[in-house]
Amino acid sequence: MNTDSAYKTLLETLRRHDRLGSIGGLIGWDELTMMPAGSADLRGEQKAILTELIFREAQKPEFRDQVEALEAVKDQLDSDQLAVVREARRDLDMVTHIPAEFAARKSRAQSASYQAWVKARNNDDFASFLPYLQEQLDLAKEQAAFFDVSDAYDYWIDQFDPGMTCATIEPLFAELAPQLRSLAERIINAPTPPPADVFKGFPVDKQEHFLREVVTSMGFNFERGRIDTSVHPFCGGHGQDTRMTTRFDANNPIDSLSSGMHETGHALYEQGLDDRFAGSALGKHVGMAVHESQSRLWENMVGRGAPFWKFWGPKYRALFPEQLAAINDQEFLRAFNNVAISPIRVDADEITYNLHIILRFELEKSLFSGAVAPADLPDAWNDYSARILGYTPKNFREGCLQDVHWSDGLFGYFPSYCLGNLLAAQLWETVQKDIPNIEDTIADGDFQPLREWLRKEVHARGRRLYTNGTAKAITGSELKTAPLVRYLSGRYLPLYSL
Ligand code: ZN
């Protein structure tokens, strides 16, 4: 066997898998943005058939042969080739360890569970959702058991952040929680609270115009992507055809701008992956924590900061002169960066958001270990919430029914959001060392230096390394808490005259 030609053949196969998967990205985007409501049944069938085709394609004996042939000559492979084979093996195991019967059963259960959750949340009725939650947890454990893993929760964490485990996350969150809690409390009790009711009556067309200018200047490639609106913003499609969405509310312009910049961060990552190696370790993202580090760096470190608003503030004021007439720039920044202990994760500020995630991580651990039974989730949620966040939910909607994730079988996903914040802060410190005047370039409205740095340091790396390996290669250290605490203290304490 010629190793080089076998490697090339494997790359072609992986590219084919990537292209096939990208069709799912496209019809999934269409479903949430453009599809007429009456076409939902057809779309359901299309998605099921496509899923089956993707599975069958990856189950072809040729793919296994290609992977095994290269595994047999590992000592002849360079580090890039080894990474490609390692990830191809992960893909292969995914489709060979999980029986088709189980995949179909899980997919059906997920649809039913999602519908049950929507209804339960609307009616604030946990009891009606309980059997579905129990089933999702059982399925999650059943799936993990198909693999050679000692802990089911570790299996799920690894699905979203390769290489991370409960044991690597625990000390980070334990260190972070009390520091953020006390920082939030100091800010909330500061003598200079933000002005109230600033962000009311911001015409949507002007918000849209502003966001488009920001997104363009961040470097979103409109030649190979578009922005539409959806109920919940997301970034879908493919790096070569990125389908990003946002939403607008005249009385919540922060949300549209922040989520627009957030999704653009995700989009730039996808657009920055090396498409020559699509579907392989050299051309795919590392995992959700690194993905979130990209969205949150743009949304928070950039979009919430004084340098950003030095350039964009006058444009914003020109669009909304009356709405902003009564407040000065410092008050505007405080209003934009309001901190509050609040029940709903997706509405939380960038400090307490992490406490919401730590709460979910603790609950997931307890659900998987059996320390908390699904039936006891509401009480456990309230207890943990009071302890970690300092808030006791008034009803299920404010508590254990607020997130869609578990209804969809997504256990182990939540930690990525907080790990992404940790990495974003490490990257932010590193880019300031590499490009000392980076904040000046942002204050000049020039995002190119930051974007190019991220492209080179993060996007172009693909999945050669896993989450902690990537963090260490770029920032000199695996994930740690100090940079995030330094960043938040450095930004918020002066803003609130503390
Ligand atoms: Zn995100």
Side-chain angles (χ1 to χ4, degrees), residues 262-263 266 292 295-296 417:
H262 179 100
E263 299 307 334
H266 284 306
E292 282 298 314
S295 55
R296 280 154 199 275
Y417 296 118

Side-chain angles (χ1 to χ4, degrees), residues 17 19 41 132 169 233 299 366 467 471:
H17 294 175
R19 271 21 184 181
D41 288 349
Y132 296 92
I169 296 172
E299 175 193 354
S366 299
T467 310

Side-chain angles (χ1 to χ4, degrees), residues 48 51-52 55-56 59 93-108 139 142 146:
T51 305
E52 193 192 318
F55 244 75
R56 274 202 210 157
Q59 281 170 332
D93 284 350
M94 202 58 202
V95 294
T96 49
H97 287 39
I98 299 176
E101 170 278 324
F102 174 84
R105 181 154 53 90
K106 185 177 172 188
S107 160
R108 277 195 304 275
L139 286 166
E142 200 179 334
F146 295 131

